[in-house]
Amino acid sequence: TLTKVPSSSFEIQLSKNLKTRDAEKFFEYNRKILKENWNKLRNTKRRKQQQLLTKFQSTLYPSLVSYADMLLSDNNHRNELHSIIALHIMNHVLTSRGRIQRNNKKKDDDDDARRDQGYTRPTVLILLPTRGTCYTFLHSMMSLLLGEDTTAQVENMDRFQTEYGPVENMSDNDDDDRRRKAILESKGEEWNSLFGDDVNSDDDFKLGVSFLPKSLSGKNNNKDSKKKSSSSSSIKLYSSFYKSDIIFASPLALKMNSVEEEDEENDIDYLSSIEICFLAYSEVLLLQNWDHVRDVLDLC
């Protein structure tokens, strides 16, 4: 069931600053793409524009756009929650980058009048328990910007698919396969979504993601992608953390970096300007080691 969303929330937030002619065309156009792809993914092509969110999402959205601290323990709407948070994060990144581009074009020297960024570029940190959950969430985020063909204009997509995607079962023993399937069926749907037979359950990972105009992104490394995306941007995976917009990581990986921070390759100063931090599957993070989560949050 869809519900009507006030124009003061969803419509204004996605179209904010679009009327500024001096704004960077790249970021303006991608806000439009976000809105169009959201309509398609929500199957609202034939519905009125005001009916864009579910009742659950329309309840959350005013708190999201006001940047309030939120704690949600309802796992029954996990997909709806992750979709609206992905939309909010993408809108935040494109809006902040657009603001920086506009201010950089101004010729006045009044820096105090426009404090638009922190010490480092990454503004969003997403903590997840496993590579499999990172794979699922990042795919949903890419679909908002690139549409259904998430492989178009994504650098290092093949590497991401190999390191974060489904894991192949190498067993050749039929008896072992039947026994394993019986055990997995007894575990339940939620357990299988996290630790199932083909899910990558590695809990040591960190990944930088940046958004670039196509003219600056270079050639697409994904040889299998032949379709062109309607978006004017490309997504670069495995970008340097200091040149990333969003950082996906497990608390364990960032904790290991902080312990070995004397090594230049393991510094964590890129967490100094985080504006949004999303803890996904926090109940799983709690079962892993909550001390790692607390230590990472202290670094932001």
Side-chain angles (χ1 to χ4, degrees):
T1 304
L2 296 176
T3 186
K4 184 175 181 179
V5 181
S7 59
S8 58
S9 59
F10 185 79
E11 296 292 337
I12 291 180
Q13 287 298 325
L14 287 185
S15 60
K16 190 176 181 181
N17 297 327
L18 288 180
K19 296 181 180 180
T20 306
R21 293 188 177 182
D22 293 335
E24 185 68 23
K25 297 298 183 182
F26 160 62
F27 297 102
E28 291 184 359
Y29 182 69
N30 279 305
R31 289 196 194 96
K32 178 182 177 181
I33 294 298
L34 278 180
K35 185 175 178 181
E36 291 178 354
N37 287 333
W38 177 265
N39 290 342
K40 295 177 183 178
L41 294 173
R42 292 300 307 162
N43 295 321
T44 56
K45 186 175 182 180
R46 298 181 180 179
R47 299 176 184 271
K48 294 181 179 180
Q49 288 296 317
Q50 289 84 356
Q51 298 176 324
L52 298 177
L53 306 180
T54 65
K55 184 177 181 180
F56 177 78
Q57 291 171 335
S58 62
T59 302
L60 295 180
Y61 200 76
S63 299
L64 284 176
V65 297
S66 64
Y67 292 89
D69 293 335
M70 300 177 64
L71 171 63
L72 293 121
S73 58
D74 184 3
N75 291 336
N76 296 326
H77 299 87
R78 191 188 297 276
N79 292 335
E80 296 178 53
L81 172 63
H82 286 186
S83 295
I84 193 65
I85 289 180
L87 175 66
H88 174 58
I89 289 174
M90 293 291 295
N91 185 48
H92 172 83
V93 170
L94 295 176
T95 300
S96 61
R97 291 289 303 279
R99 184 185 303 113
I100 293 172
Q101 291 286 339
R102 289 194 301 274
N103 289 338
N104 287 344
K105 289 183 177 181
K106 295 181 180 179
K107 298 181 180 180
D108 60 272
D109 296 328
D110 189 7
D111 293 335
D112 292 335
R114 53 178 194 274
R115 296 176 181 267
D116 54 14
Q117 57 188 304
Y119 295 105
T120 55
R121 176 171 169 175
T123 57
V124 179
L125 173 63
I126 301 177
L127 297 177
L128 300 121
T130 64
R131 288 176 182 256
T133 56
C134 176
Y135 177 83
T136 302
F137 188 84
L138 183 51
H139 263 285
S140 66
M141 182 174 291
M142 290 190 295
S143 65
L144 288 173
L145 188 61
L146 304 178
E148 296 179 357
D149 183 19
T150 56
T151 61
Q153 297 299 323
V154 179
E155 295 188 39
N156 301 317
M157 186 64 181
D158 292 336
R159 177 184 173 187
F160 176 71
Q161 186 73 25
T162 302
E163 297 182 1
Y164 287 78
V167 180
E168 295 183 7
N169 179 21
M170 305 301 293
S171 176
D172 295 330
N173 192 314
D174 294 338
D175 292 336
D176 290 342
D177 289 340
R178 285 193 295 268
R179 189 181 303 109
R180 184 176 60 256
K181 290 180 180 179
I183 294 175
L184 292 176
E185 290 176 359
S186 65
K187 292 293 185 179
E189 182 179 352
E190 184 177 4
W191 191 94
N192 278 279
S193 66
L194 294 169
F195 309 106
D197 207 16
D198 60 344
V199 178
N200 194 330
S201 58
D202 183 16
D203 62 350
D204 184 7
F205 66 93
K206 50 187 182 294
L207 175 68
V209 179
S210 61
F211 303 94
L212 300 170
K214 288 181 180 178
S215 58
L216 300 179
S217 60
K219 295 182 180 180
N220 186 9
N221 293 339
N222 184 22
K223 299 179 181 179
D224 297 332
S225 178
K226 297 181 180 180
K227 295 181 180 180
K228 293 184 178 180
S229 171
S230 59
S231 173
S232 65
S233 68
S234 69
I235 298 176
K236 182 177 181 180
L237 307 179
Y238 297 95
S239 58
S240 170
F241 291 129
Y242 284 99
K243 296 181 180 179
S244 300
D245 297 299
I246 304 174
I247 295 176
F248 292 81
S250 65
L252 173 63
L254 293 180
K255 173 64 176 180
M256 292 174 64
N257 269 99
S258 66
V259 172
E260 303 171 359
E261 61 181 349
E262 295 181 359
D263 189 342
E264 282 188 12
E265 295 182 357
N266 293 322
D267 76 276
I268 51 174
D269 290 340
Y270 50 80
L271 297 178
S272 62
S273 302
I274 296 298
E275 298 172 357
I276 294 178
C277 180
F278 174 43
L279 275 67
Y281 301 90
S282 57
E283 73 279 9
V284 182
L285 297 176
L286 177 62
L287 293 175
Q288 289 178 332
N289 193 329
W290 193 252
D291 287 340
H292 292 343
V293 177
R294 296 173 62 181
D295 292 340
V296 169
L297 294 181
D298 287 340
L299 298 173
C300 298

